[in-house]
Amino acid sequence: MLKANGEPQYMALYEALASEVRWKIMGLISVKEMSVKEIAAKLALSPSIITMHIRKLEQAELIGSRRIRRNGGTHKMCFLKQTEIEIELPSVNSSMRVIEQTISIGHYSAYEIHPTCGLGTLEKEIGVWDDPRYFLDPERVQASILWFGKGYVEYKISNDLLPDQTADAVEISMEIASEAPGLGDHWPSDITFTFNSIVLGTWTSPADFGRAARGKYTPAWWHRNVNQYGLLKTIRIDASGCYMDGERMSEVTLADIKLTDPFWTLRFAVEEEAAHVGGLTLYGSGFGNHDQDIVIRVYLKDETHVQ
């Protein structure tokens, strides 16, 4: 078996394999040794072209050749040297190994919200809009969209880190937007993100999107004049600070967010004293423009392992 990887000496091998003619040549001589002239006749190509292809296959050590005397002349006989090739692709950097959790929109563990507000599953609305009591409805665990004018929702997250695992970074990804009565192309809202009671930072959502188009995944039955889609935002906390989509959000680091706690909490809030109290909408799988729920990723340091 020939083993290859990304080292420069194997580039000739990969080039040799990138030809239909050369694959046909290998197919022919896998059955029996053949001369250049015989291969040319079988493939209806000139001997000079076949000679060029043979040279590339020899350089890649895929085929071999020997010369024999036959019928008063010397013939170059070609034979297949390899029957298998094992290609080793670049290994995944161990520091990029990840523990991932997905949290459904309706699986919040605490809330305090004020109208306008509501929830919906993929099939129907839950209860009556603008009545916070329905945020305790048993069906709320099926919710794929929720919205409120001010207040917060909070989620509990299991701590899946093993004792010998150390986090290198934590990422939080969600589709989120403001909440206007109806829709609002210019409806800023200051949304604050808190992890384990540590404020990660505040981001100003520009709008409650949907006037121009429906959400890509928003169900067809959903009302056209209310929340349609948001923006996919990713918060990353590492040893250097806290970032949203690569832009520094705060000075909070991994050391600040208490990853040794038995469980973690994640809160999305629109504070009453915020400069822009424009509400909040969370979109889950089956709503909005990004078919996902809230996703938490923990990237592990390279001396650790995932079981």
Side-chain angles (χ1 to χ4, degrees):
M1 177 189 294
L2 177 62
K3 294 187 177 182
N5 55 32
E7 295 296 320
Q9 63 264 33
Y10 296 112
M11 294 303 108
L13 168 65
Y14 304 138
E15 182 182 351
L17 293 171
S19 165
E20 184 180 356
V21 171
R22 291 194 280 276
W23 277 96
K24 287 180 178 178
I25 292 171
M26 289 189 288
L28 289 172
I29 64 176
S30 69
V31 179
K32 64 174 185 177
E33 290 186 4
M34 297 181 70
S35 69
V36 172
K37 195 171 183 179
E38 289 169 331
I39 295 170
K42 281 282 188 182
L43 298 181
L45 294 170
S46 70
S48 62
I49 291 176
I50 294 300
T51 298
M52 179 270 293
H53 285 297
I54 292 292
R55 187 180 304 117
K56 286 186 177 293
L57 290 168
E58 287 179 320
Q59 289 170 349
E61 298 187 0
L62 291 170
I63 72 171
S65 63
R66 62 191 182 93
R67 296 187 179 276
I68 64 169
R69 295 284 298 174
R70 190 171 66 187
N71 300 326
T74 302
H75 300 269
K76 181 176 181 177
M77 304 300 293
C78 302
F79 57 90
L80 195 62
K81 286 179 67 175
Q82 308 292 340
T83 57
E84 292 182 55
I85 302 172
E86 181 180 298
I87 299 175
E88 180 184 347
L89 296 175
S91 60
V92 176
N93 188 328
S94 56
S95 65
M96 293 302 290
R97 286 178 296 192
V98 62
I99 299 171
E100 182 173 299
Q101 294 186 58
T102 298
I103 306 168
S104 299
I105 297 299
H107 279 245
Y108 48 85
S109 55
Y111 74 93
E112 182 182 313
I113 58 96
H114 301 269
T116 53
C117 60
L119 308 100
T121 71
L122 294 177
E123 292 81 29
K124 63 177 184 177
E125 304 158 10
I126 296 177
V128 178
W129 288 3
D130 297 336
D131 189 339
R133 292 178 299 172
Y134 286 99
F135 274 66
L136 279 177
D137 190 291
E139 282 192 292
R140 57 96 171 173
V141 296
Q142 305 299 325
S144 287
I145 185 172
L146 67 78
W147 63 96
F148 54 86
K150 64 181 178 181
Y152 71 85
V153 287
E154 185 173 276
Y155 298 84
K156 281 187 177 179
I157 307 159
S158 64
N159 181 353
D160 291 342
L161 281 170
L162 298 177
D164 63 342
Q165 293 176 332
T166 304
D168 195 48
V170 173
E171 282 187 355
I172 306 160
S173 174
M174 80 300 295
E175 184 173 354
I176 193 167
S178 308
E179 157 51 19
L183 295 167
D185 288 340
H186 180 68
W187 194 268
S189 185
D190 296 337
I191 301 172
T192 298
F193 304 88
T194 304
F195 191 92
N196 283 351
S197 301
I198 303 298
V199 175
L200 301 179
T202 298
W203 165 71
T204 301
S205 169
D208 183 358
F209 302 95
R211 286 192 183 277
R214 293 182 60 86
K216 181 178 178 181
Y217 297 100
T218 297
W221 67 267
W222 187 249
H223 308 278
R224 183 63 187 88
N225 63 338
V226 293
N227 327 59
Q228 293 295 319
Y229 61 89
L231 300 175
L232 186 66
K233 309 300 291 184
T234 300
I235 298 171
R236 180 181 176 90
I237 311 107
D238 59 26
S240 66
C242 180
Y243 305 83
M244 176 176 276
D245 299 337
E247 303 252 339
R248 182 174 284 274
M249 195 177 192
S250 72
E251 303 303 313
V252 173
T253 68
L254 278 181
D256 299 320
I257 61 174
K258 300 178 286 189
L259 293 181
T260 56
D261 285 0
F263 64 86
W264 304 331
T265 59
L266 173 63
R267 177 179 288 197
F268 303 93
V270 177
E271 307 288 355
E272 187 170 11
E273 63 273 16
H276 304 98
V277 183
L280 180 159
T281 305
L282 282 170
Y283 295 87
S285 179
F287 270 87
N289 280 354
H290 303 275
D291 194 20
Q292 70 161 67
D293 294 307
I294 302 166
V295 178
I296 311 293
R297 298 183 182 93
V298 180
Y299 294 89
L300 302 176
K301 285 191 175 179
D302 52 10
E303 70 264 24
T304 63
H305 64 276
V306 178
Q307 292 186 346

